[in-house]
């Protein structure tokens, strides 16, 4: 990118790291997109090197008890030295002992006065406190840490990997007429049965959000573009605006309720349906799934990886799907327009057609959709006019439960309109002559 001028009154070195938009830092990962850059620092001169140097220079602070023990030790040392000298003088001048005998007597008294059991007593006290903490399900790694717990007023915890598993998972999937619950534990292995239709699952707003407007739900949830308390969210597909109806209960109902298409409530869809429904999330992505669907070796945004992981554990071969549907052209993701699009050459597509997949912030996707796929089944025979109020309310419902929400869309385009390797702009999605053209 072009050089960025520092704000008024600041030198370039004083600009916060997060505001240096044209810099990439060592030990960080690229989750979206690609590019080229020039290395300006290496080793200890990088930001991570500076952090490492500061950490190594930090001195370990002693607790109050350890400082008190040091003070007592110094007092005892002075007292023992004085008593040792007094003993020597008394033995040599008063008892008229030989000089060597007087020295041995003084040293014997000095050794006898050293409190050898002090360390053992302190350790036993700490050990007892650790045992009491363990009985309350609190594991203490360093014994002296027990002493300070009684004065703790604030606990700063790294929740990732501690309170959470550091794995984002797809839990709910909503179509025009049904809701599906994904079993993230996959107890039966890689089978379609991990995805079950459950029309009662997250079908209403959370209790605290029943009477809130869509904008209020957005402000409090994980899809807020500003993040919580000013924190920049890792969710790239945040929602800009959410306008819901005055009667959310009515809007939440599908346009054709109580039907068993494509499967009845309580049943699992076929592998073919899952492949069709999740193919947008899998193909419209540059992410790489970890070995065996796990964390090792995975690359990409956690939100997008959750879709790949869900597809993998419902029996979809991710590599085979991507090999069979090569990318012809793409619209790279950008935080400006919050969507990504890829065009694929799929053998099952109609003659002379490519399939375009678009994945992005759900509020923006709804505005670009002309149709919705009935029951999530692809094909023109299942197209029906999109019910925007229904989808807006689904975004509100899922957001009220603290879930990140993505919109998955597709469309057919003429092969003559796209050349292999085209780097398309956002107007490919939101600037078309026909206006709304996607299918949700």
């Amino acid at each position: 990118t072009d050089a960025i001028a520092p704000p008024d009154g600041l030198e370039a070195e004083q600009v916060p790291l997060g505001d240096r938009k044209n810099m990439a830092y060592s030990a960080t990962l690229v989750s979206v997109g690609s590019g080229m850059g020039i290395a300006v620092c290496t080793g200890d001169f990088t930001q991570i090197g500076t952090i490492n140097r500061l950490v190594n220079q930090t001195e370990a602070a002693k607790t109050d008890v350890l400082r008190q023990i040091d003070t007592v030790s110094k007092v005892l040392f002075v007292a023992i030295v004085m008593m040792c000298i007094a003993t020597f003088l008394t033995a040599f001048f008063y008892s008229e002992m030989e000089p060597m005998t007087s020295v041995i007597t003084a040293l014997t008294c000095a050794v006898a006065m050293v409190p050898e059991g002090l360390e053992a007593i302190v350790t036993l006290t700490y050990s007892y406190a650790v045992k009491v903490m363990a009985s309350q399900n609190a594991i203490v790694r360093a014994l002296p840490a027990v002493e300070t717990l009684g004065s703790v007023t604030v606990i700063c915890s790294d929740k990732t990997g501690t309170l959470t598993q550091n794995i984002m998972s797809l839990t709910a999937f909503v179509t025009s007429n049904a809701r599906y619950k994904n079993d993230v534990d996959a107890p039966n292995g890689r089978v379609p049965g991990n995805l079950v239709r459950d029309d009662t699952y997250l079908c209403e707003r959370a209790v605290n959000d029943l009477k809130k407007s869509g904008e209020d739900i957005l402000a409090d949830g994980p899809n807020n573009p500003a993040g919580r308390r000013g924190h920049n969210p890792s969710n790239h597909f945040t929602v800009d605006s959410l306008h819901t109806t005055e009667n959310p209960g009515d809007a939440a109902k599908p346009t054709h309720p109580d039907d068993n298409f494509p499967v009845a409530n309580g049943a699992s869809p076929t592998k073919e349906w899952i492949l069709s429904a999740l193919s947008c999330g899998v193909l419209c992505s540059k992410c790489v799934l970890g070995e065996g669907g796990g964390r090792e070796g995975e690359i990409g945004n956690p939100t997008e990886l959750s879709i790949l992981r869900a597809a993998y554990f419902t029996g979809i071969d991710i590599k085979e799907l991507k090999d069979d549907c090569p990318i012809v052209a793409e619209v790279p993701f950008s935080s400006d327009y919050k969507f990504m699009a890829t065009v694929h050459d799929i053998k099952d597509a109609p003659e002379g057609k490519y399939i375009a997949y678009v994945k992005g912030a759900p509020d923006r996707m709804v505005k670009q959709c002309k149709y919705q796929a009935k029951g999530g089944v692809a094909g023109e025979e299942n197209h029906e006019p999109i019910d925007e109020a229904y989808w807006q309310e689904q975004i509100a419902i899922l957001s009220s439960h603290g879930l990140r929400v993505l919109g998955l869309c597709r469309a057919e385009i003429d092969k003559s309109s796209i050349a292999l390797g085209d780097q398309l702009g956002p107007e490919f999605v939101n600037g078309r002559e026909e206006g709304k053209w996607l299918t949700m």
Side-chain angles (χ1 to χ4, degrees):
T1 61
D2 296 333
I4 300 176
D8 294 338
L10 291 180
E11 298 294 334
E13 294 77 9
Q14 296 175 315
V15 178
L17 299 184
D19 294 337
R20 302 179 186 181
K21 303 297 185 181
N22 58 347
M23 300 293 289
Y25 299 100
S26 174
T28 60
L29 297 176
V30 177
S31 60
V32 177
S34 59
M36 297 179 64
I38 301 173
V40 296
C41 293
T42 59
D44 288 343
F45 298 99
T46 62
Q47 294 298 330
I48 191 67
T50 302
I51 295 173
N52 180 63
R53 185 170 63 254
L54 294 174
V55 169
N56 290 334
Q57 293 174 351
T58 302
E59 296 181 0
K62 291 186 177 181
T63 64
D64 289 339
V65 169
L66 294 180
R67 285 196 294 267
Q68 292 174 11
I69 292 176
D70 288 344
T71 302
V72 170
S73 299
K74 293 176 182 178
V75 173
L76 285 175
F77 174 75
V78 173
I80 291 172
V81 170
M82 294 177 63
M83 291 297 295
C84 184
I85 294 174
T87 301
F88 172 79
L89 295 175
T90 301
F92 184 71
F93 292 105
Y94 182 79
S95 299
E96 298 181 350
M97 293 182 180
E98 295 292 329
M100 185 57 66
T101 304
S102 299
V103 171
I104 293 174
T105 302
L107 292 176
T108 301
C109 292
V111 172
M113 286 186 286
V114 173
E116 298 176 350
L118 178 61
E119 183 178 355
I121 292 173
V122 172
T123 303
L124 286 174
T125 303
Y126 278 149
S127 299
Y128 176 76
V130 170
K131 180 180 178 181
V132 173
M133 296 296 293
S135 66
Q136 302 297 321
N137 298 323
I139 305 300
V140 179
R141 183 170 62 88
L143 293 181
V146 176
E147 169 201 348
T148 60
L149 290 178
S151 303
V152 169
T153 56
V154 177
I155 296 178
C156 299
S157 173
D158 176 14
K159 70 177 183 64
T160 304
T162 305
L163 303 178
T164 63
Q165 295 181 335
N166 196 22
I167 298 177
M168 188 171 291
S169 301
L170 186 151
T171 58
F173 189 82
V174 179
T175 65
S176 66
N177 70 327
R179 322 182 76 82
Y180 294 86
K181 180 179 180 180
N182 183 42
D183 191 339
V184 298
D185 295 325
N188 299 318
R190 298 178 59 198
V191 294
N194 292 322
L195 194 67
V196 179
R197 177 172 177 176
D198 184 353
D199 291 340
T200 63
Y201 182 61
L202 302 181
C203 63
E204 296 179 348
R205 296 185 186 183
V207 175
N208 295 336
D209 294 336
L210 286 176
K211 297 182 179 181
K212 286 185 178 181
S213 66
E215 294 296 339
D216 289 338
I217 294 175
L218 175 62
D220 296 335
N223 299 294
N224 181 6
R228 296 182 181 180
R229 297 183 183 273
H231 174 69
N232 185 28
S234 59
N235 179 17
H236 300 314
F237 304 97
T238 53
V239 179
D240 291 322
S241 61
L242 187 58
H243 302 289
T244 54
T245 63
E246 296 181 358
N247 299 311
D250 295 335
K253 298 176 183 178
T255 54
H256 35 78
D258 302 326
D259 66 286
N260 296 325
F261 183 79
V263 294
N265 191 34
S268 295
T270 63
K271 182 178 178 180
E272 290 71 22
W273 182 90
I274 297 174
L275 177 63
S276 174
L278 296 183
S279 57
C280 175
V282 175
L283 295 175
C284 188
S285 171
K286 291 295 187 67
C287 297
V288 177
L289 190 63
E291 182 178 354
R295 296 293 315 282
E296 184 177 354
E298 70 177 17
I299 301 174
N301 179 270
T303 307
E304 299 177 79
L305 282 168
S306 67
I307 302 177
L308 269 69
R309 189 175 294 110
Y312 176 84
F313 282 107
T314 49
I316 306 301
D317 190 323
I318 304 298
K319 185 178 184 304
E320 181 181 347
L321 176 59
K322 289 191 174 186
D323 290 342
D324 291 344
C325 305
I327 294 179
V328 177
E330 67 175 305
V331 179
F333 172 83
S334 171
S335 56
D336 293 334
Y337 44 82
K338 296 182 181 178
F339 59 76
M340 173 183 180
T342 52
V343 181
H344 297 264
D345 187 4
I346 300 177
K347 60 182 179 181
D348 294 333
E351 185 69 25
K353 298 285 186 179
Y354 286 137
I355 302 297
Y357 290 111
V358 186
K359 173 187 65 183
D363 60 321
R364 300 198 179 197
M365 294 297 94
V366 170
K367 295 175 183 177
Q368 298 301 324
C369 286
K370 183 177 182 180
Y371 304 106
Q372 62 187 27
K374 181 181 178 182
V377 179
E380 290 189 6
E381 65 278 7
N382 293 307
H383 285 181
E384 54 188 13
I386 189 167
D387 183 351
E388 291 193 17
Y390 168 76
W391 290 107
Q392 292 281 1
E393 182 58 27
Q394 300 314 308
I395 300 171
I397 290 174
L398 297 176
S399 297
S400 73
H401 290 279
L403 300 180
R404 295 183 178 182
V405 187
L406 269 179
L408 305 181
C409 308
R410 61 170 282 159
E412 298 174 359
I413 60 173
D414 293 331
K415 288 187 175 182
S416 58
S417 63
I418 297 293
L420 180 63
D422 276 354
Q423 286 294 320
L424 307 173
E427 62 279 358
F428 173 78
V429 175
N430 56 18
R432 301 182 71 86
E433 293 181 359
E434 63 266 38
K436 297 182 177 182
W437 65 295
L438 296 173
T439 300
M440 179 68 75

